[in-house]
Structures are given as C-alpha cells and as structure tokens.
Amino acid sequence: MTERQLNRILKRTITGLSRTGSIITTGSGEVVIGFSTANKIPHDKTSSCLSISAIHEEDIDLAFRAAGEATEEAVLNSLITATHVVGRSGNERPALKNLLEIYGIQLD
C-alpha cells in the first residue's frame, strides 16, 4: 500500500475506539502507529524508477473495516487481561475481571 493509503487506514482505528466507549478528548492520549512491509525501498539510489504495490481504491474498504475491528479487539483484550493496580498513596484500581467476579457477571 502507499503511504497515503496507510494513513487513511490508520485513521479508521478510531471506529474501534468508539465502539468500546472511548470519548476521545483533548489529552486522552490515543496514539496510532502503522507500517507496511509490502514495498521494499533500496537504501542506495537505483537508476530506474521504483515499482510500488498498492491496494486498489475500490478494495480498500476491507482494510478500513479490519483496522476498526482489530482496534476494538485490542481494547477489549486489554480490559479483560488487565490486573489489579495499587498506585501512589495506596490508591487502588480493580481489574475488570475482578469486578465481574465480585458482581457475579459471567462472560460467555
């Protein structure tokens, strides 16, 4: 894919954050990093033009959807696998899995 296509795909990660309840405000700290290994650019200049592979614009919607779904899955996975945290001055934050156990909520 091209740099432009990669940037467009990365912008779709916001849909996955939205689906999980993020309100995405100033200072909330979302950072998205993406890269592609599809095109290899030689370090040394060649005498000919480079051929670069790209996704056809009519097929990019599938990549948009995948970016959103992968982001949603990553957020949900991090919530479920998080552990109880004790911070400065004894401040505690229970993990989601502990809260589910306390309140008798079963995940199927």
Side-chain angles (χ1 to χ4, degrees), residues 24-39:
I24 309 159
T25 61
T26 301
S28 56
E30 289 80 14
V31 176
V32 178
I33 299 172
F35 59 92
S36 171
T37 58
N39 295 304

Side-chain angles (χ1 to χ4, degrees), residues 81-98:
T81 59
T83 59
H84 176 263
V85 176
V86 178
R88 189 178 72 185
S89 302
N91 291 309
E92 295 186 43
R93 296 297 178 261
L96 177 60
K97 63 184 173 185
N98 301 123

Side-chain angles (χ1 to χ4, degrees), residues 8-27:
R8 291 179 64 208
I9 292 167
L10 293 174
K11 289 179 183 178
R12 282 10 185 237
T13 59
I14 204 74
T15 61
L17 292 173
S18 298
R19 288 184 209 142
T20 56
S22 177
I23 58 172
I24 309 159
T25 61
T26 301

